[in-house]
Amino acid sequence: MQPDFSRPVLAVDTSTSFLSLALQTADGLFVRHTEAGSRQSELVLPQIAGLFAEAGAGAADLAAVVYAQGPGAFTGLRIGLGVAQGLAAPFGVPLVGVPCLDAAAYLVRGRGVLAAADARMGEVFYAWFDTEHRRRLSPYCVGRAAEIAAPAGVAFSDGIGNAFALPDPPPFAGSPAMPAAADYLRLAQTGDYPACDAAEASLLYVRDKIALTAAEQAARKASGAA
């Protein structure tokens, strides 16, 4: 069952160095978007409390909590999910996870949209979308930007995501813009992303390994220089 989006809904995005929050109520949209760096865990609860105070709402009033599901910054994603679960579980509020690449892709409109985000370690997270017809055209992937190719039969139309600001960006034109919490909230309201109990909410991991050994790092550098 989808949440009743006529009631207040909170969205939390901690997938990048920004702490982004959005609270939709009958009185309007209340937002926070702050460059937090490594202070996500320190700032997130006070900023949510500030949003609730501004909007005259509380966790018990929420119809749902929307969260950035990944892929993205590993620690940030875990902070966001933990906060979302902590707010939702005591009141039986459902969670709605929206993949980060989806939120980026739907910032633009096209039939061959490449959403690509910095994955560190010389790699990017990416996926292809037809945002005109609301379809994802590829799996969620991680790899070197230079190796990204369009799926068979897909003509590139636009690129979006902070991977396009990297020194070695994908071999396509694109904007480095990234979504904010309000964009996640808007996608959740389409009903395309299922709601679940707080205890069942999960993150979308694309990279199996979070860190490379020294030998693996040396081998990667050697292959890149070859």
Side-chain angles (χ1 to χ4, degrees):
M1 177 181 295
Q2 287 298 316
D4 176 7
F5 286 109
S6 67
R7 293 172 49 209
V9 179
L10 175 70
V12 180
D13 174 22
T14 53
S15 63
T16 69
S17 63
F18 282 86
L19 169 59
S20 191
L21 305 168
L23 177 61
Q24 180 75 59
T25 75
D27 295 323
L29 180 66
F30 303 84
V31 300
R32 299 283 191 279
H33 192 70
T34 307
E35 175 66 70
S38 60
R39 300 177 63 210
Q40 301 262 25
S41 59
E42 174 187 345
L43 297 176
V44 61
L45 288 177
Q47 291 212 9
I48 289 174
L51 271 186
F52 282 154
E54 183 181 354
D61 301 314
L62 296 174
V65 179
V66 179
Y67 68 98
Q69 193 176 30
F74 179 76
T75 300
L77 289 171
R78 291 178 64 85
I79 291 169
L81 176 57
V83 167
Q85 289 175 315
L87 290 170
F91 305 105
V93 173
L95 266 58
V96 180
V98 175
C100 298
L101 293 174
D102 293 46
Y106 283 96
L107 294 176
V108 296
R109 184 175 176 85
R111 298 187 179 186
V113 174
L114 170 62
D118 185 7
R120 307 293 177 90
M121 298 194 295
E123 294 182 327
V124 299
F125 299 119
Y126 66 95
W128 290 84
F129 295 82
D130 175 354
T131 58
E132 289 189 7
H133 298 96
R134 310 196 68 81
R135 293 186 298 141
R136 178 162 52 87
L137 304 176
S138 77
Y140 300 109
C141 303
V142 62
R144 294 186 179 183
E147 298 172 356
I148 298 176
V154 175
F156 170 78
S157 60
D158 211 341
I160 190 77
N162 61 12
F164 290 96
L166 294 173
D168 297 310
F172 300 89
S175 164
M178 289 292 284
D183 300 303
Y184 286 86
L185 193 154
R186 186 179 68 252
L187 274 187
Q189 291 173 326
T190 65
D192 292 342
Y193 301 89
C196 67
D197 291 338
E200 298 174 354
S202 61
L203 294 173
L204 174 60
Y205 294 120
V206 177
R207 176 187 280 141
D208 293 328
K209 297 191 67 173
I210 303 304
L212 301 179
T213 66
E216 289 169 333
Q217 292 176 17
R220 171 163 293 184
K221 289 179 180 178
S223 66

